[in-house]
């Protein structure tokens, strides 16, 4: 673990973790996809002191009628947020089951440049046959095959981020040279289903490598910076965290909090009349802000961070901002990201060396 500070991430896709969350949202459904909405939620999270916001995504609609089914791409939303924030990390979900890793790596590298080194990447999979049809690709139906695509996709992206050395861009007016071609490299990747030669079309990201988050049972731990682990109780989370084998571990926690107008259980029951809150094997807190603070205090001894998934963003995020994060700060269990700090630095991760760069030659001093 990185130390006493617990890093808090917040999932901000849609109106909340419950499929019917829109019914309790503070805005009309037609406002969900507006730039003002996504920027506003991100600003609240940044001002509250969250380390990171994540944005779920997939090629298929996020729900079925009568619930809102619209969604703008996570990378596009992340880029908009990057331009309107200054400290919070931003990690879109981007599956590489069918997407071209070359293009994914370019998009994410560009996001890191836009954000000044605050970008991450949540790796997931496209599981449904409809997703393959939407991409016009043969279905990757086998779980092991999907894991292979994620593994290879992350390896290609990481190699492409290194395919430009840090000083490849020289901008020499005197010699009319923009690039030093000797500092661009082919990655020459050959996998089971595709090959990528490279190099990238975007300079190396400010962080060198973006922070990569994912489930360690689906992506090899060696390719992840942060493992996202689940469990229905503290014992299960502790066990999963111990087995992760990654530099950092974040627990997944779904939350429904007491508000001034309604209790947490009452709010959940109101939404359950419309649709079930699917059990995805994650730790779930339904109760007061004080109880959540105590739970997060327990988790701080087991994991490096927590990704919170609020029942309804418009109801739970104000409680998190007003009661939960300040209480954790008073107990010195969390630390706010600092301006001008990369996401890697905030998480206590070193900036990795470029795999293609020649090691510096140090002369012995006598």
């Amino acid at each position: 673990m990185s130390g006493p500070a617990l890093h808090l991430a917040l999932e901000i896709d849609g109106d909340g973790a419950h499929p019917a969350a829109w019914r309790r949202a503070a805005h009309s459904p037609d406002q969900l996809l507006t730039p003002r909405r996504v920027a506003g939620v991100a600003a609240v999270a940044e001002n509250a002191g969250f380390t990171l916001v994540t944005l779920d995504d997939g090629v298929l609609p996020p729900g079925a009628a009568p619930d809102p089914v619209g969604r703008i791409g996570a990378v596009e939303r992340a880029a908009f947020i990057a331009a309107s924030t200054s400290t919070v990390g931003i990690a879109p979900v981007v599956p590489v089951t069918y997407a071209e890793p070359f293009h994914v790596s370019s998009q994410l590298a560009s996001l890191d440049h836009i954000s000044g080194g605050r970008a991450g990447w949540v790796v997931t999979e496209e599981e449904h046959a409809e997703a393959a049809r939407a991409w016009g690709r043969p279905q990757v139906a086998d779980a092991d095959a999907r894991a292979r695509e994620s593994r290879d996709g992350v390896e290609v992206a990481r190699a492409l981020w290194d395919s430009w050395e840090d000083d490849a861009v020289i901008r020499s007016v005197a010699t009319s040279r923009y690039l030093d071609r000797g500092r661009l490299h082919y990655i020459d990747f050959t996998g089971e289903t595709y090959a990528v030669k490279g190099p990238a079309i975007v300079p190396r990201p400010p962080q060198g490598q973006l922070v990569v988050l994912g489930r360690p049972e689906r992506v090899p731990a060696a390719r992840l910076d942060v493992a996202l682990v689940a469990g229905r109780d503290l014992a299960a989370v502790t066990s999963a965290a111990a087995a992760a084998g990654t530099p950092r571990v974040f627990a997944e926690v779904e939350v429904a909090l007491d508000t001034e107008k309604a209790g947490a259980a009452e709010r959940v029951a109101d939404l359950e009349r419309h649709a079930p809150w699917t059990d995805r094997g994650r730790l779930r807190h339904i109760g007061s802000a004080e109880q959540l603070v105590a739970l997060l205090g327990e988790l701080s001894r087991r994991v490096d961070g927590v990704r919170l998934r609020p029942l309804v963003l418009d109801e739970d995020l104000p409680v998190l901002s007003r009661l939960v994060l300040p209480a954790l700060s008073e107990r010195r269990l969390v630390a706010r990201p600092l301006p001008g700090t990369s996401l890697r630095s905030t998480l206590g991760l070193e900036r990795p060396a470029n795999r293609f760069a020649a090691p510096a030659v140090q002369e012995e001093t006598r």
Side-chain angles (χ1 to χ4, degrees):
M1 290 181 57
S2 59
L6 184 72
H7 300 288
L8 294 181
L10 181 72
E11 172 55 52
I12 64 171
D13 181 62
D15 280 315
H18 197 284
W22 65 277
R23 295 179 181 273
R24 298 186 65 93
H27 62 88
S28 59
D30 66 333
Q31 297 299 306
L32 176 61
L33 303 183
T34 61
R36 178 179 295 180
R37 166 67 183 176
V38 67
V41 173
V44 173
E46 179 172 68
N47 292 335
F50 280 93
T51 297
L52 176 68
V53 295
T54 63
L55 300 107
D56 201 4
D57 202 2
V59 69
L60 300 178
D67 299 324
V69 296
R71 176 187 270 161
I72 295 173
V75 173
E76 289 77 10
R77 285 178 286 160
F80 188 83
I81 292 171
S84 61
T85 55
S86 59
T87 61
V88 70
I90 309 152
V93 165
V94 187
V96 284
T97 309
Y98 302 108
E100 296 285 353
F102 185 93
H103 300 311
V104 169
S105 73
S106 299
Q107 291 176 317
L108 293 171
S110 298
L111 177 62
D112 204 43
H113 283 285
I114 294 169
S115 65
R118 292 181 287 125
W121 174 21
V122 182
V123 184
T124 60
E125 300 174 359
E126 297 276 17
E127 299 181 0
H128 302 290
E130 293 84 354
R133 288 197 290 271
W135 279 99
R137 301 285 183 84
Q139 184 185 4
V140 183
D142 181 74
D144 289 340
R146 290 196 302 271
R148 177 200 64 213
E149 295 300 320
S150 294
R151 177 197 69 216
D152 289 353
V154 173
E155 175 56 31
V156 167
R158 286 192 177 278
L160 287 167
W161 293 334
D162 278 349
S163 66
W164 290 50
E165 295 184 34
D166 289 320
D167 53 358
V169 180
I170 56 177
R171 297 187 178 93
S172 173
V173 176
T175 62
S176 299
R177 295 170 66 214
Y178 179 76
L179 294 174
D180 181 345
R181 294 181 59 185
R183 291 184 170 89
L184 270 62
H185 304 275
Y186 296 116
I187 68 168
D188 290 325
F189 172 86
T190 301
E192 294 182 36
T193 58
Y194 60 84
V196 178
K197 191 171 185 63
I201 57 174
V202 178
R204 195 175 193 224
Q207 296 182 98
Q209 297 272 319
L210 276 71
V211 175
V212 181
L213 307 90
R215 294 160 51 196
E217 67 271 22
R218 307 307 300 158
V219 181
R223 289 177 169 84
L224 294 175
D225 297 297
V226 179
L228 300 174
V229 301
R232 293 185 176 89
D233 53 39
L234 284 172
V237 170
T238 302
S239 177
T246 53
R248 299 290 178 265
V249 179
F250 278 34
E252 299 271 28
V253 180
E254 299 171 340
V255 296
L257 298 170
D258 296 337
T259 68
E260 294 179 355
K261 296 182 179 180
E266 179 184 352
R267 294 172 53 229
V268 172
D270 177 56
L271 293 179
E272 292 288 277
R273 296 185 296 111
H274 304 285
W277 192 5
T278 304
D279 182 355
R280 302 186 184 277
R282 299 170 183 145
L283 192 62
R284 183 175 289 181
H285 170 78
I286 301 175
S288 69
E290 293 78 7
Q291 291 169 329
L292 178 59
V293 170
L295 173 61
L296 293 175
E298 285 292 324
L299 285 168
S300 70
R301 294 190 281 272
R302 295 167 168 82
V303 295
D304 302 286
V306 172
R307 177 161 66 156
L308 298 176
R309 295 173 173 269
L311 179 81
V312 181
L313 278 167
D314 287 346
E315 294 182 322
D316 292 291
L317 183 52
V319 180
L320 290 168
S321 302
R322 188 177 69 254
L323 300 177
V324 176
L325 272 78
L328 291 170
S329 182
E330 288 178 4
R331 299 184 187 189
R332 297 186 178 180
L333 290 176
V334 296
R336 300 177 67 93
L338 299 176
T341 303
S342 72
L343 180 57
R344 296 193 73 88
S345 295
T346 297
L347 296 176
L349 300 169
E350 293 184 0
R351 188 179 189 274
N354 189 306
R355 72 186 71 187
F356 297 109
V361 178
Q362 299 181 352
E363 295 184 359
E364 294 185 4
T365 57
R366 299 182 183 275

